[in-house]
Amino acid sequence: MEMRINCGMNMTDKVSTTEKIVTAAMLVIGDEILSGRTQDTNSSYIARWLGELGIRLSEIRVVPDVQAEIVAALNSLRARYDYVFTSGGIGPTHDDITADAVAAAFAVPIGPHPQAMAILDAHYKPGEFTEARQRMARIPDGAELIDNPVSKAPGFHIGNVFVLAGVPMILQAMLESLRHRVTGGAKMLSTSVGGAVAEGHVAGALGELQVQFPDVSLGSYPYFRRAEPGSDKVSSYGVNFVLRSTDAVRLALARDSVRAMIRAQGVEPEDRD
Amino acid sequence: MEMRINCGMNMTDKVSTTEKIVTAAMLVIGDEILSGRTQDTNSSYIARWLGELGIRLSEIRVVPDVQAEIVAALNSLRARYDYVFTSGGIGPTHDDITADAVAAAFAVPIGPHPQAMAILDAHYKPGEFTEARQRMARIPDGAELIDNPVSKAPGFHIGNVFVLAGVPMILQAMLESLRHRVTGGAKMLSTSVGGAVAEGHVAGALGELQVQFPDVSLGSYPYFRRAEPGSDKVSSYGVNFVLRSTDAVRLALARDSVRAMIRAQGVEPEDRD
């Protein structure tokens, strides 16, 4: 269920009905994610980081280390969303092709960036700024660098695209340094209530609440616990209800209604926040 | 770096050079992933499961619970890959819109499926097979059911698309029951070697190895450990090299070469498998 901006008449509401919804996409570049060897945690980190800034992550794509795939995905996403964040493929080895792919997507030349060369030259011991490492200073024309306080090799920012490292520790540090370059809109607030109810018992009431609160997104997420590891048998189950809105007052009202809906099943609701 | 099929002349090689590369895409449907509240682990599970069957996961997309988004992504992916797997949105509540979106994508009608109705009717106590739960028996015309041994509400399979639950325990059980419906190709084998080397020191040698082993994908993944939680300071670092090929003999040869490359840095290689 897509969230809609609050149209209520509550005068304490600080969110304007005309405030822009700012969107973003995440493009994860990496064979290691597609093989299942590495679990992508960067997307969920960026999702929460963007949420704090009032930017809504609206799509995630994971593509392999193949230039044509990166170019096609990037051009599709950057045309559609306010911001695009990429992760991965900016190191010194042969499989690090992201900078070239981004240059190709923007149809701009790529070459050694003087400031990036200087940062890396100063970082390495004499003779250690190898040809391979100089690859990390190749930046598309017109891009601005993104600081990397961990291992120095910078990310970069061109148009509405932010190119970040794949190593989570570096990606997270880069995000902090680019915070002032993005502008958010209405901030999505969220809250969660759970209970040992069956989805099928509350679905009707929940659907009615969604009609009553068109300005609050009501998500319903059942959970099951296995009786034993690997077993198909369930020992316990329940539902987490996640409520999201840009309007704190409406969110609190909707949560009270969800709590009452759970109590009507003879179950005590549990706050999950 | 895209893997290429082995063209070597080793007569013990069991992988035919003409064996088809079978591909798949994963379509994750769910606002809860895009908000960062829930970490998607289904994609990496499916990636490994497919890998065992000789099917290569080639793209992952995550889209919100919005019909037009699901339809557009599904039609794009099913035209391009041999198989598409979806997760999420097949429960009884108002935000469960996947079955309707799949029917729309295939331009077929949707309605109560007799066998799904019978399974669910038998599962619930008298009077408990509510209207909301009957929603879970709505299946696009022409689809075949996928067994759900955990909570009974079935997934389904239409064309080259497999529609699965989002709850990991159910998704995993559904995959076991559909294993015979997919046909794999050349199985990708993989191995990993690590060492406390700097990427910039080995990048040149690694690039040369990639030229020498065009039939083995050589991935290089640096890691960093924080000196303290939350710190930008690094206490240790190294690189994991991941090698992938459909040819076990060439894979072993390439691994020996990577081990020698690490040793040439004065570092003892560590097997990561």
Side-chain angles (χ1 to χ4, degrees):
Chain A
M1 171 67 61
E2 179 72 314
M3 232 292 306
R4 269 147 284 183
I5 284 291
N6 171 39
C7 306
M9 291 175 291
N10 188 327
M11 298 306 286
T12 63
D13 178 11
K14 286 181 188 154
V15 175
S16 155
T17 57
T18 56
E19 192 164 0
K20 184 174 171 4
I21 294 181
V22 181
T23 61
M26 175 80 186
L27 178 59
V28 178
I29 296 158
D31 291 353
E32 73 279 20
I33 309 294
L34 290 170
S35 72
R37 185 175 271 272
T38 301
Q39 171 71 54
D40 166 42
T41 56
N42 288 329
S43 295
S44 59
Y45 186 91
I46 284 191
R48 293 188 300 271
W49 184 85
L50 288 170
E52 286 296 314
L53 298 174
I55 300 173
R56 201 168 307 174
L57 186 64
S58 302
E59 183 168 347
I60 302 168
R61 290 198 199 181
V62 186
V63 299
D65 300 335
V66 175
Q67 175 158 327
E69 299 293 331
I70 301 168
V71 169
L74 187 60
N75 280 338
S76 164
L77 296 173
R78 72 189 180 94
R80 179 142 192 228
Y81 300 102
D82 294 314
Y83 299 110
V84 180
F85 295 81
T86 79
S87 68
I90 63 167
T93 61
H94 65 278
D95 57 342
D96 290 304
I97 61 171
T98 299
D100 286 273
V102 173
F106 279 86
V108 297
I110 180 168
H113 187 290
Q115 191 187 344
M117 289 292 283
I119 289 168
L120 290 167
D121 194 33
H123 174 60
Y124 291 112
K125 292 176 196 137
E128 290 271 285
F129 188 28
T130 58
E131 193 181 320
R133 284 174 169 155
Q134 289 174 32
R135 261 177 68 80
M136 296 191 290
R138 296 179 74 246
I139 304 284
D141 277 16
E144 281 177 62
L145 301 186
I146 297 172
D147 188 37
N148 169 358
V150 178
S151 59
K152 297 302 167 189
F156 61 87
H157 159 206
I158 179 168
N160 60 343
V161 176
F162 294 85
V163 175
L164 309 178
V167 177
M169 183 183 172
I170 302 177
L171 175 131
Q172 291 167 24
M174 284 180 167
L175 282 176
E176 287 320 299
S177 77
L178 66 78
R179 189 183 278 263
H180 62 285
R181 299 196 206 174
V182 296
T183 305
K187 184 172 165 184
M188 186 68 89
L189 307 170
S190 106
T191 186
S192 179
V193 185
V197 297
E199 252 196 328
H201 287 161
V202 298
L206 190 71
E208 285 165 23
L209 277 185
Q210 183 64 82
V211 172
Q212 197 181 328
F213 289 94
D215 49 344
V216 179
S217 153
L218 300 178
S220 165
Y221 304 106
Y223 58 83
F224 299 85
R225 296 203 178 90
R226 290 181 209 271
E228 291 163 35
S231 163
D232 280 351
K233 296 282 177 296
V234 172
S235 66
S236 69
Y237 64 89
V239 181
N240 287 321
F241 300 96
V242 177
L243 296 80
R244 303 173 73 225
S245 176
T246 53
D247 182 336
V249 173
R250 292 284 290 170
L251 191 65
L253 276 176
R255 183 177 55 191
D256 289 347
S257 298
V258 169
R259 293 171 60 95
M261 177 190 79
I262 296 171
R263 275 212 192 84
Q265 297 288 317
V267 173
E268 189 53 29
E270 295 162 36
D271 289 340
R272 300 290 194 209
D273 298 311
Chain B
M1 172 65 64
E2 179 72 314
M3 231 293 305
R4 268 146 286 183
I5 283 292
N6 171 40
C7 307
M9 292 174 293
N10 188 325
M11 298 306 286
T12 63
D13 178 10
K14 286 182 191 155
V15 176
S16 156
T17 58
T18 56
E19 192 164 1
K20 182 173 171 8
I21 294 180
V22 181
T23 60
M26 174 80 185
L27 178 59
V28 178
I29 296 158
D31 291 353
E32 73 279 19
I33 309 294
L34 290 169
S35 73
R37 183 176 273 271
T38 301
Q39 171 71 54
D40 167 42
T41 56
N42 288 330
S43 296
S44 59
Y45 185 91
I46 283 189
R48 294 189 300 271
W49 185 85
L50 289 170
E52 286 296 313
L53 298 176
I55 300 172
R56 201 167 305 172
L57 186 64
S58 302
E59 182 168 348
I60 302 168
R61 291 199 198 179
V62 186
V63 298
D65 300 335
V66 175
Q67 175 158 328
E69 300 292 332
I70 301 168
V71 169
L74 187 60
N75 279 337
S76 163
L77 296 172
R78 73 190 180 94
R80 180 143 190 228
Y81 301 103
D82 294 314
Y83 299 110
V84 180
F85 294 81
T86 79
S87 68
I90 64 167
T93 62
H94 65 277
D95 57 342
D96 290 305
I97 62 172
T98 298
D100 285 272
V102 172
F106 279 85
V108 297
I110 181 168
H113 187 289
Q115 192 188 343
M117 289 291 283
I119 290 168
L120 290 167
D121 194 34
H123 173 60
Y124 293 111
K125 292 177 198 138
E128 290 271 284
F129 188 28
T130 57
E131 194 182 320
R133 284 174 169 155
Q134 290 174 32
R135 261 175 68 79
M136 297 191 289
R138 296 179 76 246
I139 305 285
D141 277 16
E144 281 177 64
L145 301 186
I146 297 172
D147 188 37
N148 169 358
V150 178
S151 60
K152 296 303 168 187
F156 61 86
H157 159 205
I158 180 168
N160 61 344
V161 176
F162 294 85
V163 175
L164 310 178
V167 176
M169 182 183 172
I170 301 177
L171 176 131
Q172 292 168 23
M174 284 180 167
L175 282 176
E176 286 321 297
S177 77
L178 65 79
R179 188 182 278 261
H180 63 284
R181 299 197 206 174
V182 295
T183 305
K187 184 173 165 181
M188 186 68 90
L189 306 170
S190 108
T191 185
S192 179
V193 185
V197 297
E199 252 196 328
H201 287 161
V202 297
L206 190 71
E208 285 165 23
L209 277 186
Q210 183 65 80
V211 172
Q212 196 180 328
F213 290 93
D215 49 344
V216 179
S217 153
L218 300 179
S220 166
Y221 304 105
Y223 59 83
F224 299 85
R225 296 204 178 89
R226 292 181 207 271
E228 291 163 33
S231 162
D232 280 350
K233 296 280 179 298
V234 171
S235 65
S236 70
Y237 64 88
V239 181
N240 287 321
F241 300 96
V242 177
L243 297 79
R244 303 172 75 225
S245 176
T246 53
D247 182 336
V249 173
R250 292 285 289 169
L251 191 65
L253 278 175
R255 184 178 54 190
D256 289 346
S257 299
V258 169
R259 292 171 59 95
M261 177 190 79
I262 295 171
R263 274 212 193 85
Q265 297 288 317
V267 173
E268 189 55 28
E270 296 163 35
D271 289 339
R272 300 290 194 211
D273 297 311

